[in-house]
Amino acid sequence: MRAIMCVVVLLALAGCGYRPLGSGEASVLQSSVRTISIGTLKNKTLRPTILSALRDALIRRLKSEGRIRVVEESADALLEGAIEGFAEEPLAFSSKDQAKRLRLSISFSFTVKHRLEDKVLLRDGVAGVAYYFTGTGIAATRAAEDEAALRAVADLADQVVSRVLDGV
């Protein structure tokens, strides 16, 4: 009976499309793509600091993955994109109707192109999200917002790299 159950489970897994993350089997990158470069990133928001934070987070996340090498020039693939939006949504209020907890989201659209073939391998958009509580004053609230923006950028970079390397 146990052997039959094992066979049933194996057959179900074989037909459901399951694959372990990180295997790279569903990567949008062709097998010939071994290097990637971060090209032009645009910022369509009024938050100038998030652009450099995003570039750094993308490079750091791609390097930590180890399946593709990040280079400055002559890469096989080129990642370009634009920060499309920066939004804050109040979630909880104080008794004086002041926002106490907020959701911060940063939206980013991007493309990955095969440099030699001049072919778009992936065109997608993601949103990085982080939550924060307001402080007791303007400076404390601004510091909490800035820290949340960095977490949202890191979330964004994780999503971009997952889409590029794992197809998810």
Side-chain angles (χ1 to χ4, degrees):
M1 182 67 176
R2 186 175 182 157
I4 294 172
M5 286 301 290
C6 287
V7 169
V8 169
V9 168
L10 287 174
L11 288 174
L13 287 175
C16 74
Y18 171 81
R19 66 173 176 79
L21 279 178
S23 65
E25 294 172 353
S27 173
V28 299
L29 302 178
Q30 300 165 349
S31 61
S32 63
V33 176
R34 304 234 185 266
T35 58
I36 193 166
S37 174
I38 308 296
T40 304
L41 299 178
K42 297 178 182 173
N43 186 357
K44 297 180 179 179
T45 73
L46 298 175
R47 305 287 178 145
T49 58
I50 60 176
L51 186 62
S52 61
L54 177 59
R55 178 180 291 282
D56 294 344
L58 285 169
I59 291 169
R60 189 172 42 255
R61 182 67 175 84
L62 283 163
K63 283 182 176 181
S64 73
E65 193 59 42
R67 287 185 272 165
I68 191 165
R69 204 165 39 97
V70 181
V71 296
E72 295 280 328
E73 295 177 11
S74 300
D76 301 326
L78 179 65
L79 188 150
E80 296 181 312
I83 299 171
E84 302 287 345
F86 183 100
E88 294 174 302
E89 178 184 1
L91 301 173
F93 296 88
S94 69
S95 59
K96 298 177 185 177
D97 286 335
Q98 294 176 330
K100 293 306 279 176
R101 185 164 192 253
L102 293 99
R103 175 180 28 233
L104 185 147
S105 62
I106 301 171
S107 56
F108 180 66
S109 62
F110 66 97
T111 60
V112 177
K113 296 178 186 173
H114 194 287
R115 193 180 62 79
L116 295 177
E117 297 176 9
D118 196 30
K119 173 182 164 187
V120 174
L121 302 173
L122 175 65
R123 184 179 316 247
D124 208 344
V126 295
V129 176
Y131 299 87
Y132 72 98
F133 289 96
T134 59
T136 55
I138 293 173
T141 298
R142 183 59 188 213
E145 179 186 283
D146 289 345
E147 195 268 327
L150 291 176
R151 287 195 324 268
V153 163
D155 181 40
L156 200 90
D158 286 346
Q159 291 183 54
V160 170
V161 172
S162 290
R163 299 263 169 98
V164 170
L165 297 181
D166 294 321
V168 293

